[in-house]
Amino acid sequence: LAPNVVTSIGGGCNMLIVALCTVFSPSYEEMVPSWVLQINGVLLITGYFLDCMDGKQARRTGNSSPLGQLFDHGTDALGVMAHFCMVASMMSPNFGNDRLLLAAWATFQTAFFFAQWVEYNVHELHHCIGGVFGITEMNCSGGLLSIGVSFIDRTSLFSPIGPTLPLVGDITPAKIGGLGWVMLQSGVIVHGFQLVGAKVKGAEFQKAVTATAPAVVAAVVTVFGFSDEVVTNHKKLICMTVWPLLTYNSVQVIIFAMARQELVVLQWPSAVYLLAAVATRVAGPSIAAPLLLSLFLLFFAVLIEWAVSASNQITT
């Protein structure tokens, strides 16, 4: 098989997870059938191993190219949504807390951005924390966990097991799992700062940190930018809108790293997303759905246009 075909099949596995979540949990509030969790687990592990194989296949067949590398990493960036959908499916309805669900999504996709940011600055793609828990462990354990959860009574995940706390409410296994997920991804982000700070000093480090602003702004807006009413009614649409936005940020870092160009700090998509959140608070939640849907389509168009432009430059 051609390396790009291997990449496409692996990416297709991830997109099928997203599709299953969209069909069976369209608002992240529906409990998906157990067989969906089982398929998700198999698809995630299969997609990961295909992702590991495409680069080796390219080198084995002598078909390695910058365009293939961009296609591989771009597919990975889009596929981040599959991991979140798998976790959201396990913990539906919505981890038991809407803001926690948004935080789980925002930190995970931002962590992927920071992995690319670290590679851009230190010229190494670090795959694990502390040399123990890395990409392989995350994908395999995540897939097996999805399969395992399908065999338990998932309503027990939302049964209180501790005291009621301010802002958090009842303590449940689902909320503990969601908090653990957020803390893990936050650890990846902090570890990224540590890796870059160890090799990049002074003004250059400040410059590198400034370049993360678009992704950080998008993540913060996702979690805190919208009113409770908008979050309750449109959390799925918020997640879908920020998906192509943060993917765009990640792909830019990948391409700038390949071209050895300086990162662009001021990026209008993140600013537009921030203004949209402000608009829903000023004009009212009634504009949220059409506005977020419009931004979803706009950001995907921008992502595709930018990827096509970069591909043309690579091949000419």
Coordinates of all heavy atoms in Angstrom, one line a residue, residues 203-291:
A203 N 14.9 36.3 25.9 CA 13.9 36.9 25.0 C 13.4 35.9 24.0 O 12.2 36.0 23.6 CB 14.6 38.1 24.3
E204 N 14.2 34.9 23.6 CA 13.7 33.9 22.7 C 12.6 33.1 23.3 O 11.7 32.7 22.6 CB 14.9 33.1 22.2 CG 15.8 33.8 21.3 CD 15.1 34.3 20.0 OE1 14.4 33.5 19.4 OE2 15.3 35.4 19.6
F205 N 12.8 32.8 24.6 CA 11.7 32.0 25.3 C 10.5 32.8 25.4 O 9.4 32.3 25.1 CB 12.2 31.6 26.7 CG 11.2 30.8 27.4 CD1 10.8 29.5 27.0 CD2 10.6 31.4 28.5 CE1 9.9 28.8 27.7 CE2 9.6 30.6 29.3 CZ 9.3 29.4 28.9
Q206 N 10.6 34.1 25.7 CA 9.4 34.9 25.8 C 8.7 35.0 24.4 O 7.5 35.0 24.3 CB 9.8 36.3 26.2 CG 10.3 36.4 27.6 CD 10.7 37.8 28.1 OE1 10.6 38.7 27.3 NE2 11.2 37.9 29.3
K207 N 9.5 35.1 23.4 CA 8.9 35.1 22.0 C 8.2 33.8 21.7 O 7.1 33.8 21.1 CB 10.1 35.4 21.0 CG 9.7 35.6 19.6 CD 10.9 35.9 18.7 CE 10.5 36.1 17.3 NZ 11.7 36.4 16.4
A208 N 8.8 32.7 22.1 CA 8.2 31.4 21.8 C 6.9 31.3 22.6 O 5.9 30.7 22.0 CB 9.2 30.3 22.3
V209 N 6.8 31.7 23.8 CA 5.6 31.6 24.6 C 4.5 32.5 24.0 O 3.4 32.1 23.9 CB 5.9 32.1 26.1 CG1 4.6 32.2 26.8 CG2 6.8 31.0 26.8
T210 N 4.9 33.7 23.5 CA 3.9 34.6 22.9 C 3.3 33.9 21.7 O 2.1 34.2 21.4 CB 4.6 35.9 22.5 OG1 5.2 36.5 23.6 CG2 3.6 36.9 21.8
A211 N 4.0 33.1 21.0 CA 3.5 32.4 19.8 C 2.4 31.4 20.1 O 1.6 31.0 19.2 CB 4.6 31.7 19.0
T212 N 2.2 31.1 21.4 CA 1.1 30.2 21.8 C -0.2 30.9 22.0 O -1.2 30.2 22.2 CB 1.5 29.4 23.0 OG1 1.6 30.3 24.2 CG2 2.9 28.7 22.9
A213 N -0.2 32.2 21.9 CA -1.4 33.0 22.3 C -2.6 32.6 21.5 O -3.7 32.4 22.2 CB -1.1 34.5 22.1
P214 N -2.6 32.4 20.2 CA -3.8 32.0 19.5 C -4.5 30.8 20.0 O -5.7 30.7 20.2 CB -3.4 31.9 18.0 CG -2.1 32.7 17.9 CD -1.5 32.6 19.3
A215 N -3.7 29.7 20.3 CA -4.3 28.5 20.8 C -4.8 28.6 22.2 O -5.8 28.1 22.6 CB -3.2 27.4 20.7
V216 N -4.0 29.3 23.0 CA -4.4 29.5 24.4 C -5.7 30.3 24.5 O -6.6 30.0 25.3 CB -3.3 30.2 25.2 CG1 -3.8 30.6 26.6 CG2 -2.1 29.3 25.3
V217 N -5.8 31.4 23.7 CA -7.0 32.2 23.6 C -8.2 31.3 23.2 O -9.3 31.4 23.9 CB -6.9 33.4 22.7 CG1 -8.2 34.0 22.4 CG2 -5.9 34.4 23.3
A218 N -8.1 30.5 22.2 CA -9.1 29.7 21.7 C -9.6 28.7 22.8 O -10.8 28.5 23.0 CB -8.7 28.9 20.5
A219 N -8.6 28.1 23.6 CA -9.0 27.2 24.6 C -9.7 27.9 25.8 O -10.7 27.3 26.3 CB -7.7 26.5 25.1
V220 N -9.2 29.0 26.2 CA -9.8 29.7 27.3 C -11.3 30.2 26.9 O -12.2 30.1 27.7 CB -9.0 30.9 27.7 CG1 -9.7 31.8 28.7 CG2 -7.7 30.5 28.3
V221 N -11.4 30.7 25.7 CA -12.8 31.1 25.2 C -13.7 29.9 25.2 O -14.9 30.0 25.6 CB -12.7 31.7 23.8 CG1 -14.1 31.9 23.3 CG2 -12.0 33.0 23.9
T222 N -13.2 28.7 24.8 CA -14.1 27.5 24.8 C -14.6 27.2 26.2 O -15.8 26.8 26.3 CB -13.3 26.3 24.2 OG1 -12.9 26.6 22.9 CG2 -14.1 25.0 24.2
V223 N -13.8 27.3 27.2 CA -14.2 26.9 28.5 C -15.0 28.0 29.2 O -16.0 27.7 29.9 CB -12.9 26.5 29.4 CG1 -13.4 26.0 30.7 CG2 -12.2 25.4 28.7
F224 N -14.5 29.2 29.1 CA -15.1 30.3 29.9 C -15.8 31.4 29.1 O -16.5 32.2 29.7 CB -14.0 30.9 30.8 CG -13.3 30.0 31.7 CD1 -12.0 29.6 31.4 CD2 -13.9 29.4 32.8 CE1 -11.3 28.7 32.2 CE2 -13.2 28.5 33.6 CZ -11.9 28.2 33.3
G225 N -15.7 31.4 27.8 CA -16.2 32.5 27.1 C -17.7 32.6 26.9 O -18.2 33.7 26.7
F226 N -18.4 31.5 27.0 CA -19.8 31.5 26.7 C -20.7 31.4 28.0 O -20.2 30.8 29.0 CB -20.2 30.3 25.8 CG -19.5 30.4 24.4 CD1 -18.3 29.8 24.2 CD2 -20.1 31.1 23.4 CE1 -17.6 29.9 23.0 CE2 -19.4 31.2 22.1 CZ -18.2 30.6 21.9
S227 N -21.9 31.9 27.9 CA -22.7 31.9 29.1 C -23.2 30.5 29.4 O -23.1 29.6 28.5 CB -24.0 32.8 28.8 OG -24.8 32.2 27.8
D228 N -23.7 30.3 30.6 CA -24.2 29.0 31.0 C -25.3 28.5 30.1 O -25.3 27.3 29.7 CB -24.7 29.0 32.4 CG -23.6 29.2 33.5 OD1 -22.4 28.9 33.1 OD2 -23.9 29.6 34.6
E229 N -26.2 29.3 29.6 CA -27.3 28.9 28.8 C -26.7 28.5 27.4 O -27.2 27.4 26.9 CB -28.3 30.1 28.6 CG -29.5 29.7 27.7 CD -30.5 30.8 27.6 OE1 -30.3 31.8 28.3 OE2 -31.4 30.7 26.8
V230 N -25.8 29.2 26.9 CA -25.2 28.8 25.6 C -24.4 27.5 25.7 O -24.6 26.6 24.9 CB -24.2 29.9 25.1 CG1 -23.5 29.4 23.8 CG2 -25.0 31.1 24.7
V231 N -23.7 27.3 26.8 CA -23.0 26.1 27.0 C -23.9 24.9 27.2 O -23.7 23.8 26.6 CB -22.1 26.2 28.3 CG1 -21.5 24.9 28.7 CG2 -20.9 27.2 28.0
T232 N -25.0 25.1 27.9 CA -25.9 24.0 28.2 C -26.6 23.5 26.9 O -26.7 22.3 26.6 CB -27.0 24.4 29.2 OG1 -26.4 24.7 30.4 CG2 -28.0 23.3 29.4
N233 N -27.0 24.5 26.0 CA -27.7 24.2 24.8 C -26.8 23.9 23.6 O -27.3 23.2 22.6 CB -28.7 25.3 24.5 CG -29.7 25.5 25.5 OD1 -30.2 24.6 26.1 ND2 -30.1 26.8 25.8
H234 N -25.6 24.4 23.6 CA -24.8 24.3 22.4 C -23.4 23.8 22.6 O -22.5 24.1 21.9 CB -24.8 25.7 21.7 CG -26.1 26.2 21.4 ND1 -27.0 25.6 20.5 CD2 -26.7 27.3 21.8 CE1 -28.1 26.3 20.4 NE2 -28.0 27.4 21.2
K235 N -23.2 23.0 23.6 CA -21.8 22.6 23.9 C -21.2 21.8 22.8 O -20.0 21.9 22.5 CB -21.8 21.8 25.2 CG -22.8 20.6 25.4 CD -22.7 20.1 26.8 CE -23.9 19.2 27.0 NZ -25.2 20.0 27.1
K236 N -22.0 20.9 22.1 CA -21.5 20.2 21.0 C -21.0 21.1 19.9 O -20.0 20.9 19.3 CB -22.6 19.2 20.5 CG -22.2 18.3 19.3 CD -21.1 17.3 19.7 CE -20.9 16.2 18.7 NZ -21.9 15.1 18.7
L237 N -21.8 22.1 19.6 CA -21.5 23.1 18.6 C -20.2 23.9 18.9 O -19.4 24.2 18.0 CB -22.7 24.0 18.3 CG -22.7 24.8 17.0 CD1 -22.4 23.9 15.8 CD2 -24.0 25.5 16.8
I238 N -20.1 24.2 20.2 CA -18.8 24.9 20.6 C -17.6 24.0 20.3 O -16.6 24.5 19.8 CB -18.9 25.2 22.1 CG1 -20.0 26.3 22.4 CG2 -17.6 25.8 22.6 CD1 -20.3 26.6 23.8
C239 N -17.7 22.7 20.7 CA -16.6 21.8 20.5 C -16.3 21.7 19.0 O -15.1 21.7 18.5 CB -16.9 20.4 21.1 SG -17.0 20.4 22.9
M240 N -17.4 21.6 18.2 CA -17.2 21.4 16.7 C -16.6 22.7 16.1 O -15.8 22.6 15.2 CB -18.5 21.1 16.1 CG -19.1 19.8 16.5 SD -18.1 18.3 16.1 CE -18.2 18.3 14.4
T241 N -16.9 23.8 16.7 CA -16.4 25.1 16.1 C -14.9 25.3 16.4 O -14.2 25.7 15.5 CB -17.2 26.3 16.7 OG1 -18.6 26.2 16.3 CG2 -16.7 27.6 16.1
V242 N -14.5 24.9 17.6 CA -13.1 25.2 17.9 C -12.2 24.1 17.4 O -11.0 24.2 17.3 CB -12.9 25.2 19.5 CG1 -13.0 23.9 20.1 CG2 -11.7 26.0 19.8
W243 N -12.8 23.0 16.9 CA -12.0 21.8 16.3 C -11.2 22.3 15.1 O -10.0 22.2 15.1 CB -13.0 20.7 16.0 CG -12.4 19.5 15.3 CD1 -11.1 19.1 15.4 CD2 -13.1 18.6 14.4 NE1 -10.9 18.0 14.6 CE2 -12.1 17.7 13.9 CE3 -14.4 18.6 13.9 CZ2 -12.5 16.6 13.1 CZ3 -14.7 17.5 13.0 CH2 -13.8 16.6 12.6
P244 N -11.8 22.9 14.1 CA -11.0 23.3 12.9 C -10.1 24.5 13.3 O -9.0 24.7 12.7 CB -12.0 23.7 11.8 CG -13.3 24.0 12.6 CD -13.3 23.1 13.8
L245 N -10.5 25.3 14.3 CA -9.7 26.5 14.7 C -8.4 26.0 15.3 O -7.3 26.4 14.8 CB -10.5 27.3 15.6 CG -9.7 28.5 16.3 CD1 -9.1 29.4 15.3 CD2 -10.6 29.3 17.2
L246 N -8.4 25.1 16.3 CA -7.2 24.7 16.9 C -6.4 23.7 16.0 O -5.2 23.7 16.1 CB -7.5 24.0 18.2 CG -7.8 24.9 19.4 CD1 -8.3 24.2 20.6 CD2 -6.6 25.8 19.7
T247 N -7.1 23.0 15.1 CA -6.4 22.2 14.1 C -5.6 23.1 13.2 O -4.5 22.8 12.8 CB -7.4 21.4 13.3 OG1 -8.1 20.5 14.2 CG2 -6.7 20.5 12.2
Y248 N -6.2 24.2 12.8 CA -5.5 25.2 11.9 C -4.3 25.8 12.6 O -3.2 25.8 12.0 CB -6.5 26.4 11.7 CG -5.9 27.6 11.1 CD1 -5.5 27.7 9.7 CD2 -5.8 28.8 11.8 CE1 -5.0 28.8 9.2 CE2 -5.3 30.0 11.3 CZ -4.9 30.0 9.9 OH -4.4 31.1 9.4
N249 N -4.4 26.1 13.9 CA -3.2 26.5 14.7 C -2.1 25.5 14.7 O -0.9 25.8 14.5 CB -3.6 26.9 16.1 CG -4.5 28.1 16.2 OD1 -4.4 29.0 15.3 ND2 -5.4 28.2 17.2
S250 N -2.5 24.2 14.9 CA -1.5 23.1 15.0 C -0.9 22.9 13.7 O 0.4 22.7 13.6 CB -2.2 21.8 15.5 OG -2.7 22.0 16.8
V251 N -1.6 22.9 12.6 CA -1.1 22.6 11.2 C -0.1 23.8 10.9 O 0.9 23.6 10.2 CB -2.2 22.5 10.2 CG1 -1.7 22.5 8.8 CG2 -3.0 21.2 10.5
Q252 N -0.5 25.0 11.3 CA 0.5 26.1 11.0 C 1.8 25.9 11.6 O 2.8 26.1 11.0 CB -0.2 27.4 11.5 CG -1.1 28.1 10.5 CD -1.3 29.5 10.8 OE1 -1.3 30.0 12.0 NE2 -1.5 30.3 9.8
V253 N 1.8 25.4 12.9 CA 3.1 25.2 13.6 C 3.9 24.1 12.8 O 5.1 24.2 12.6 CB 2.8 24.8 15.0 CG1 4.2 24.4 15.7 CG2 2.1 25.9 15.8
I254 N 3.1 23.0 12.4 CA 3.8 21.9 11.7 C 4.5 22.4 10.4 O 5.6 22.1 10.1 CB 2.8 20.8 11.3 CG1 2.3 20.2 12.6 CG2 3.3 19.8 10.4 CD1 1.0 19.3 12.4
I255 N 3.7 23.3 9.6 CA 4.3 23.8 8.4 C 5.4 24.8 8.6 O 6.4 24.7 7.9 CB 3.1 24.4 7.5 CG1 2.1 23.3 7.1 CG2 3.7 25.1 6.3 CD1 0.9 23.8 6.4
F256 N 5.2 25.6 9.6 CA 6.3 26.6 9.9 C 7.6 25.8 10.3 O 8.7 26.3 10.0 CB 5.9 27.6 10.9 CG 5.0 28.7 10.4 CD1 3.8 29.0 11.0 CD2 5.3 29.4 9.2 CE1 3.0 30.0 10.6 CE2 4.5 30.4 8.7 CZ 3.3 30.7 9.4
A257 N 7.4 24.7 11.1 CA 8.6 23.9 11.5 C 9.2 23.3 10.3 O 10.5 23.3 10.2 CB 8.1 22.9 12.5
M258 N 8.4 22.8 9.3 CA 9.0 22.2 8.1 C 9.7 23.2 7.3 O 10.8 22.9 6.7 CB 7.9 21.5 7.3 CG 7.3 20.3 8.0 SD 5.8 19.7 7.1 CE 6.5 19.3 5.5
A259 N 9.2 24.4 7.2 CA 9.8 25.5 6.4 C 10.8 26.3 7.1 O 11.4 27.2 6.5 CB 8.7 26.4 5.8
R260 N 10.9 26.1 8.4 CA 11.8 26.8 9.3 C 11.5 28.3 9.2 O 12.4 29.1 9.1 CB 13.3 26.5 8.9 CG 13.7 25.1 9.0 CD 15.2 24.8 8.8 NE 15.5 23.4 8.9 CZ 15.7 22.8 10.1 NH1 15.6 23.4 11.2 NH2 16.0 21.5 10.0
Q261 N 10.3 28.6 9.3 CA 9.8 30.0 9.3 C 9.3 30.4 10.7 O 9.0 29.6 11.5 CB 8.7 30.2 8.3 CG 9.1 30.0 6.8 CD 8.0 30.2 5.9 OE1 6.8 30.4 6.3 NE2 8.3 30.2 4.6
E262 N 9.3 31.7 10.9 CA 8.9 32.2 12.2 C 7.3 32.1 12.4 O 6.6 32.4 11.4 CB 9.3 33.7 12.4 CG 9.1 34.3 13.7 CD 9.7 35.6 13.9 OE1 10.7 35.9 13.2 OE2 9.1 36.5 14.6
L263 N 6.9 31.7 13.6 CA 5.5 31.6 13.8 C 4.8 32.9 13.8 O 5.3 33.9 14.2 CB 5.3 30.9 15.2 CG 5.5 29.4 15.3 CD1 5.3 28.9 16.7 CD2 4.5 28.7 14.4
V264 N 3.5 32.9 13.3 CA 2.7 34.1 13.3 C 1.9 34.2 14.6 O 1.2 33.2 15.0 CB 1.7 34.1 12.1 CG1 0.9 35.4 12.2 CG2 2.5 34.0 10.8
V265 N 2.1 35.3 15.4 CA 1.5 35.4 16.7 C 0.0 35.9 16.5 O -0.9 35.3 17.1 CB 2.2 36.4 17.6 CG1 1.5 36.5 18.9 CG2 3.6 35.9 17.8
L266 N -0.2 36.9 15.8 CA -1.6 37.5 15.6 C -2.3 36.8 14.5 O -2.0 36.9 13.4 CB -1.5 39.0 15.4 CG -0.8 39.8 16.5 CD1 -0.7 41.3 16.0 CD2 -1.6 39.7 17.8
Q267 N -3.3 36.0 14.9 CA -4.1 35.2 13.9 C -5.5 35.6 14.1 O -6.1 35.4 15.2 CB -3.8 33.7 14.1 CG -2.4 33.3 13.9 CD -2.2 31.8 14.1 OE1 -3.1 31.0 14.2 NE2 -1.0 31.4 14.1
W268 N -6.2 36.0 13.0 CA -7.5 36.5 13.1 C -8.6 35.5 13.5 O -9.6 35.8 14.1 CB -7.9 37.2 11.8 CG -8.0 36.3 10.6 CD1 -7.0 36.1 9.7 CD2 -9.1 35.6 10.2 NE1 -7.4 35.3 8.7 CE2 -8.7 34.9 9.0 CE3 -10.4 35.4 10.7 CZ2 -9.6 34.1 8.3 CZ3 -11.2 34.5 10.0 CH2 -10.8 33.9 8.8
P269 N -8.4 34.2 13.1 CA -9.5 33.2 13.5 C -9.7 33.2 15.0 O -10.9 33.2 15.5 CB -9.0 31.9 13.0 CG -8.1 32.3 11.8 CD -7.4 33.5 12.2
S270 N -8.7 33.2 15.8 CA -8.8 33.2 17.3 C -9.5 34.4 17.8 O -10.3 34.4 18.7 CB -7.5 33.0 18.0 OG -7.0 31.7 17.7
A271 N -9.1 35.6 17.2 CA -9.8 36.8 17.6 C -11.2 36.8 17.2 O -12.1 37.3 18.0 CB -9.0 38.0 16.9
V272 N -11.6 36.3 16.0 CA -13.0 36.2 15.6 C -13.8 35.3 16.6 O -14.9 35.6 17.0 CB -13.1 35.7 14.2 CG1 -14.5 35.4 13.8 CG2 -12.6 36.8 13.2
Y273 N -13.2 34.2 17.0 CA -13.8 33.3 17.9 C -14.1 34.0 19.3 O -15.2 33.9 19.9 CB -12.9 32.1 18.1 CG -13.5 31.0 19.0 CD1 -14.8 30.5 18.7 CD2 -12.8 30.5 20.0 CE1 -15.3 29.4 19.5 CE2 -13.3 29.4 20.8 CZ -14.5 28.9 20.6 OH -15.0 27.9 21.3
L274 N -13.1 34.8 19.7 CA -13.3 35.6 21.0 C -14.4 36.6 20.8 O -15.3 36.7 21.7 CB -12.0 36.3 21.3 CG -12.1 37.3 22.5 CD1 -12.5 36.6 23.8 CD2 -10.7 37.9 22.7
L275 N -14.5 37.3 19.7 CA -15.5 38.3 19.5 C -16.9 37.6 19.4 O -17.9 38.2 19.9 CB -15.2 39.0 18.2 CG -14.0 40.0 18.3 CD1 -13.8 40.6 16.9 CD2 -14.2 41.1 19.3
A276 N -16.9 36.4 18.9 CA -18.2 35.7 18.8 C -18.7 35.3 20.2 O -20.0 35.4 20.4 CB -18.0 34.4 17.9
A277 N -17.8 34.9 21.1 CA -18.3 34.6 22.4 C -18.8 35.9 23.1 O -19.8 35.8 23.8 CB -17.1 34.0 23.2
V278 N -18.1 37.0 22.9 CA -18.6 38.3 23.5 C -19.9 38.6 22.9 O -20.8 39.1 23.6 CB -17.6 39.4 23.2 CG1 -18.1 40.7 23.6 CG2 -16.2 39.1 23.9
A279 N -20.1 38.4 21.6 CA -21.4 38.8 20.9 C -22.5 38.0 21.5 O -23.7 38.5 21.7 CB -21.3 38.5 19.4
T280 N -22.3 36.7 21.8 CA -23.4 35.9 22.4 C -23.8 36.4 23.8 O -25.0 36.2 24.2 CB -23.0 34.4 22.5 OG1 -21.9 34.2 23.3 CG2 -22.7 33.9 21.1
R281 N -22.9 37.0 24.5 CA -23.2 37.5 25.8 C -23.9 38.9 25.7 O -24.8 39.2 26.5 CB -22.0 37.6 26.7 CG -21.4 36.3 27.1 CD -20.2 36.5 28.0 NE -19.7 35.2 28.6 CZ -20.1 34.7 29.7 NH1 -21.0 35.2 30.4 NH2 -19.6 33.5 30.1
V282 N -23.5 39.7 24.7 CA -24.1 41.0 24.5 C -25.5 40.9 23.9 O -26.4 41.5 24.3 CB -23.1 41.9 23.7 CG1 -23.8 43.3 23.4 CG2 -21.8 42.1 24.5
A283 N -25.5 40.2 22.7 CA -26.8 40.2 22.0 C -27.7 39.1 22.4 O -28.9 39.1 22.0 CB -26.5 39.9 20.5
G284 N -27.2 38.2 23.3 CA -28.1 37.1 23.8 C -27.8 35.8 23.2 O -27.2 35.7 22.1
P285 N -28.2 34.7 23.9 CA -27.9 33.3 23.4 C -28.6 32.9 22.2 O -28.2 31.9 21.6 CB -28.3 32.5 24.6 CG -29.3 33.3 25.4 CD -28.9 34.7 25.2
S286 N -29.6 33.7 21.7 CA -30.4 33.3 20.5 C -29.5 33.3 19.3 O -29.8 32.6 18.3 CB -31.6 34.2 20.3 OG -31.2 35.5 20.2
I287 N -28.4 34.1 19.3 CA -27.6 34.1 18.1 C -26.5 33.1 18.1 O -25.7 32.9 17.1 CB -26.9 35.5 17.9 CG1 -25.9 35.8 19.0 CG2 -28.0 36.6 17.9 CD1 -25.0 37.0 18.7
A288 N -26.4 32.3 19.2 CA -25.3 31.4 19.4 C -25.2 30.3 18.3 O -24.2 30.1 17.7 CB -25.3 30.8 20.8
A289 N -26.3 29.6 18.1 CA -26.3 28.5 17.1 C -25.9 28.9 15.7 O -25.0 28.3 15.1 CB -27.7 27.8 17.1
P290 N -26.6 29.9 15.1 CA -26.2 30.3 13.7 C -24.8 30.9 13.7 O -24.1 30.7 12.7 CB -27.3 31.4 13.3 CG -27.9 31.8 14.6 CD -27.8 30.7 15.5
L291 N -24.4 31.6 14.7 CA -23.1 32.2 14.7 C -22.0 31.1 14.8 O -21.0 31.1 14.1 CB -22.9 33.2 15.9 CG -21.6 33.9 16.0 CD1 -21.3 34.7 14.7 CD2 -21.7 34.9 17.2

